[in-house]
Amino acid sequence: MFQFIAKTQDKKLTSFTISPFLFTLYTADIPQSPNTALSTFADDTAILSTHSNPITASANLQTHLQSIEKWTRKWKKINEEKSKHVTFSLRRGNCPQLIFNQVNIPQADTVKYLGLHFDRRLTWNCHISTLRKHLDLRTKELYWIIGKHSPLSLNNKLLIYKAILKPAWTYGIELWGCASPSNIAKIQRYQSKLLRLITNAPWFVTNQTLHQDLCIEKVRHVFREKAAAHHKTLYEHPNPLMGLLTDQPQQRRLKCSRTFDGIN
C-alpha cells in the first residue's frame, strides 16, 4: 500500500492512499474496442457488448478479449475462474460461450460489480435479498447499543442508524431503486421495524407516525431524491456521452420501471 505525504501551507501533514491512482496509471493502456464498452474501477473490470443478435454480441466480446489476452501476458495476470459471463436479456437462453486464455468463462445469471448484484433481467431481486440479509446481520451486531434495553438516548440511536445502517441500503439506490414495489417494500419494512426497535414504540403507533416524528424519509422518497440528483449530474456533465444515459426510449416492449422513472 503506497502512501503519499504532502506538506500544506499551514505546515500540517496530509496523507492519502494513492494505490488506486497508481493502478489506474498501470492499466491505462488496456486495449479497447469500438464495438464494446470497457468499464474499469481499480481492479474491477467489466466489458459490455450490446446487439440484437446474441452471436454478434459474443463475437464482439471475444474479439475484445483476444486483444486483452495479449495485453495480460505482458502486464497483468487475470484469474479466469473468477470472471463471469452474464447475458442481460428478457429472452431465454444465453449468448455463445466466451474463451479467455484457452479457458471457458463460466456463465452465470447474476454478477456482483462494485457492490451491486446485477441479475440477467435487472429485476434487482438478488441484490435486495442479499442487502436485506446484510442489514439484518449488522442490526444484530448493533442491537446491544440501539435496542430497547440500551441506555443510549434516542438522538444517539438515530445518529447510529443514519451513520452506519442507512448508508448500507442507500448505496446504489439510484439504480436499484427502480425495482418492483414488492422488492422496495422489503427495505421499507426493515426501516419501519428498526425505527420501532429504536423507539420501543407500542403496537398502536403507526409506521407513518414514526417516520413523521423522527423526520425519517421513506425508501421510495429517498430514491426519488437521489435519482433526481443523479439525473442532474449526468445531464450537466461535460462529457456528452453522459447525456445518453438520461435519454428514455419512446417505445417499450414491457411496462417495467427504469432508473429515472421515479423522478417524474
Side-chain angles (χ1 to χ4, degrees):
M1 185 68 69
F2 293 91
Q3 295 285 336
F4 178 79
I5 301 178
K7 183 176 292 186
T8 58
Q9 294 180 354
D10 56 357
K11 298 183 179 180
K12 293 182 180 180
L13 294 180
T14 303
S15 64
F16 55 90
T17 303
I18 63 171
S19 295
F21 177 71
L22 293 178
F23 191 86
T24 301
L25 294 178
Y26 179 70
T27 59
D29 61 340
I30 185 172
Q32 301 190 31
S33 173
N35 298 322
T36 58
L38 181 66
S39 176
T40 59
F41 183 86
D43 60 344
D44 291 329
T45 304
I47 306 176
L48 178 65
S49 176
T50 304
H51 202 277
S52 57
N53 189 340
I55 299 179
T56 304
S58 286
N60 293 334
L61 277 176
Q62 188 62 62
T63 302
H64 194 177
L65 288 176
Q66 290 176 355
S67 60
I68 294 180
E69 182 178 340
K70 298 179 181 178
W71 179 83
T72 56
R73 294 173 183 171
K74 182 178 180 181
W75 295 110
K76 181 184 177 184
K77 174 63 177 176
I78 294 181
N79 191 342
E80 300 83 4
E81 297 180 355
K82 292 185 178 180
S83 303
K84 290 185 179 181
H85 176 205
V86 182
T87 301
F88 295 100
S89 175
L90 296 176
R91 304 175 183 176
R92 296 182 179 179
N94 297 323
C95 292
Q97 183 70 53
L98 296 175
I99 301 176
F100 188 79
N101 286 333
Q102 299 180 353
V103 177
N104 291 335
I105 298 180
Q107 295 187 348
D109 292 333
T110 60
V111 63
K112 183 179 180 181
Y113 184 67
L114 300 182
L116 298 177
H117 295 81
F118 297 85
D119 58 273
R120 60 174 295 144
R121 288 180 172 81
L122 297 180
T123 61
W124 302 103
N125 288 331
C126 179
H127 177 74
I128 293 179
S129 298
T130 305
L131 177 60
R132 180 57 193 272
K133 295 178 181 178
H134 175 69
L135 290 172
D136 291 341
L137 180 61
R138 300 197 68 176
T139 302
K140 291 181 180 179
E141 295 175 349
L142 295 173
Y143 181 81
W144 66 276
I145 197 173
I146 63 175
K148 59 182 180 180
H149 299 296
S150 172
L152 206 63
S153 65
L154 178 59
N155 291 334
N156 287 332
K157 290 181 180 180
L158 288 175
L159 182 61
I160 292 176
Y161 169 67
K162 295 178 181 179
I164 300 178
L165 296 175
K166 186 176 180 180
W169 65 260
T170 55
Y171 173 75
I173 195 174
E174 297 88 347
L175 299 178
W176 64 261
C178 63
S180 63
S182 59
N183 280 326
I184 298 298
K186 296 179 182 179
I187 307 300
Q188 182 58 60
R189 285 194 296 269
Y190 164 78
Q191 179 172 257
S192 299
K193 291 180 179 179
L194 188 68
L195 295 181
R196 191 170 294 276
L197 172 67
I198 290 176
T199 59
N200 195 20
W203 62 270
F204 53 82
V205 178
T206 64
N207 293 330
Q208 182 68 23
T209 302
L210 288 175
H211 283 76
Q212 290 179 354
D213 293 347
L214 298 176
C215 299
I216 299 295
E217 298 175 342
K218 292 190 175 181
V219 177
R220 183 61 67 180
H221 191 269
V222 173
F223 164 64
R224 293 193 185 100
E225 288 186 347
K226 289 188 174 292
H230 184 53
H231 182 273
K232 182 180 179 181
T233 301
L234 294 178
Y235 186 78
E236 298 177 352
H237 200 279
N239 188 344
L241 296 178
M242 295 295 100
L244 299 176
L245 300 177
T246 62
D247 296 336
Q248 299 289 336
Q250 297 180 356
Q251 296 181 355
R252 299 184 186 177
R253 188 164 64 89
L254 296 178
K255 295 181 180 179
C256 56
S257 299
R258 293 172 61 92
T259 300
F260 299 122
D261 289 348
I263 64 178
N264 297 325

